[in-house]
Amino acid sequence: MQHILDAIQSGTANSQDFASLELPESYRAAFVKKDEVDMFEGLTTKEKDPRKSLHVDEVPLPELGPGEAFVAVMASAINYNTVWTSIFEPVSTFGFLERYGRGSELTKRHDLPYHVVGSDLSGVVLKVGAGVTRWKPGDRVVAHCLSVELEGPDGHNDTMLDTEQRIWGFETNFGGLADVAMVKANQLMPKPEHLTWEEAASPGLVNCTAYRQLVSTNGGNMKQGDNVLVWGASGGLGGFATQYALNGGATPVCVVSNEEKAKIARSMGAELIINRSEEGYKFWNDEGTEQDPREWKRFGARIRELTGGEDIDIVFEHPGRETFGASVFVTRKGGTITTCASTTGYMHEYDNRYLWMNLKRIISSHFANYRESWEANRLIAKGRIHPTLSRTYTLDEVGQASLDVHHNTHQGKVGVLCLAPEEGLGVLDHEMRAQHESAINRFRGV
């Protein structure tokens, strides 16, 4: 891989130079093993340790198919789906790979006894398959994680509805936490050139998810003046939702868990902050079996106090079980709760009277289609939205990076260097970077 890294760092190699590079027979990657899916049996979720299940070693380079591309991965990032894969919850991802592998000879490549993980990347195109015309070797790119086949009619209005829609690196193999990744060419987007490799890799999944969930007509369809309740407003998803609300003329009401996170939200320009730890909201009893509507009302009263008597137009929901009852309650009549992820539990409970009798809507949102991803990346490239990268690990430390996210000891996004030998590389537009330096580094050192 050194000759590939040398070409990337030379600054002079052209497309033909990259096209003529010899590709390795194997490459370094982070993966879980099929024969270890029961290794955490009997342990609680928090006791399951990604450092034990995530391996970093050489794996064979797969065959490149039509419409696909090999990318030399300079950097990647950790998402909750990598944590879920590493602890084999809520199910083992090998079931996804087995089902995908039954589709064709090409999809069979994904059904392996190991699963290369990761749903973000920044890097350089090394080779493209038959039929790819937009991208060429040497292109500096980032990738979104939507993998679709589009052979049926369902996905041609919104590709997220394709019957063969999957999340790359989670429901497919050959993900981004590696020195080389294999993606479909329609996952590629231009790298924002005022960012380093690790900064450019970090927005991907969460930025695109936040865009669809809050801004897109497929999600919250946010407009100027909306009051937007953002749970976890300084986290990976919430940090982007807060930025989109501010950038789009809405008013975010930011829920955070401590003063340190409140400072981050204020630094983004948010003014209405609820520190749930200080204010002591307890939506469930100690046994986690029953919710307390009085706490919903106390929470709603606090929101009205901050907004001057107004209720929430859109709730940006992703914690799930812990917060969903409160989210439904505090939304205004005719308002919208957009939901994804459910990091505190998938079994949501709420009082349907507050939904049905007040004509509120729950909209499900899952990642983003190519158009939405392109728009989200475009806003990053234009300096309107900024990365939320807080810390970067090496690929060999991917287990520890995943543990940080698993135990929520991180802020924003956690990056991972793959081929990049150190942080701070990859910037071409230094003038633009200088304009946004403080915003780019907002989550660093916290």
Side-chain angles (χ1 to χ4, degrees), residues 46-66:
K46 285 298 182 185
E47 290 174 325
K48 297 176 182 180
D49 190 342
R51 295 174 299 182
K52 297 179 180 179
S53 57
L54 282 169
H55 305 272
V56 178
D57 207 342
E58 293 285 315
V59 298
L61 190 73
E63 173 192 359
L64 188 67

Side-chain angles (χ1 to χ4, degrees), residues 221-435:
N221 197 21
M222 185 190 73
K223 66 182 186 301
Q224 292 185 53
D226 278 348
N227 291 316
V228 179
L229 181 66
V230 182
W231 291 101
S234 69
L237 273 173
F240 285 104
T242 300
Q243 291 185 70
Y244 279 118
L246 292 164
N247 189 56
T251 301
V253 179
C254 296
V255 184
V256 296
S257 60
N258 57 49
E259 181 55 31
E260 186 177 50
K261 294 180 179 182
K263 288 178 181 177
I264 294 174
R266 292 189 190 98
S267 75
M268 287 188 277
E271 298 177 353
L272 310 185
I273 311 290
I274 295 176
N275 185 330
R276 60 182 175 86
S277 297
E278 282 187 359
E279 300 185 24
Y281 297 105
K282 190 176 181 182
F283 299 130
W284 289 83
N285 63 13
D286 290 338
E287 293 75 28
T289 57
E290 190 173 332
Q291 296 188 71
D292 185 351
R294 293 172 299 179
E295 286 294 270
W296 298 347
K297 293 176 182 178
R298 185 165 76 92
F299 185 56
R302 177 64 172 136
I303 289 170
R304 287 179 173 176
E305 180 184 334
L306 291 171
T307 61
E310 296 181 342
D311 288 326
I312 293 297
D313 296 283
I314 304 171
V315 180
F316 187 83
E317 244 293 345
H318 54 97
R321 178 177 173 80
E322 181 182 334
T323 58
F324 204 81
S327 292
V328 170
F329 180 82
V330 301
T331 306
R332 71 163 177 83
K333 187 171 185 175
T336 301
I337 303 98
T338 62
T339 178
C340 77
S342 299
T343 52
T344 65
Y346 305 103
M347 299 300 290
H348 298 185
E349 294 181 24
Y350 61 91
D351 189 329
N352 197 46
R353 292 172 297 178
Y354 296 113
L355 186 82
W356 135 57
M357 296 184 72
N358 290 291
L359 304 173
K360 303 176 187 183
R361 297 178 300 157
I362 297 173
I363 295 180
S364 59
S365 189
H366 180 44
F367 191 60
N369 61 38
Y370 194 10
R371 178 63 181 176
E372 291 160 340
S373 298
W374 189 279
E375 287 299 312
N377 185 64
R378 173 176 172 267
L379 289 168
I380 294 277
K382 291 175 74 69
R384 304 286 182 85
I385 302 294
H386 304 287
T388 61
L389 184 68
S390 61
R391 185 173 180 181
T392 303
Y393 289 88
T394 66
L395 185 59
D396 288 331
E397 299 169 318
V398 68
Q400 182 62 52
S402 298
L403 185 69
D404 284 0
V405 176
H406 181 31
H407 288 171
N408 197 31
T409 60
H410 69 302
Q411 303 277 11
K413 282 299 293 288
V414 174
V416 177
L417 298 178
C418 296
L419 278 176
E422 59 184 293
E423 296 182 57
L425 304 176
V427 177
L428 294 186
D429 191 340
H430 294 276
E431 182 178 352
M432 182 176 177
R433 182 180 182 82
Q435 297 173 17

Side-chain angles (χ1 to χ4, degrees), residues 430-446:
H430 294 276
E431 182 178 352
M432 182 176 177
R433 182 180 182 82
Q435 297 173 17
H436 301 289
E437 193 88 43
S438 59
I440 292 168
N441 291 315
R442 180 179 289 127
F443 283 71
R444 301 271 191 174
V446 294

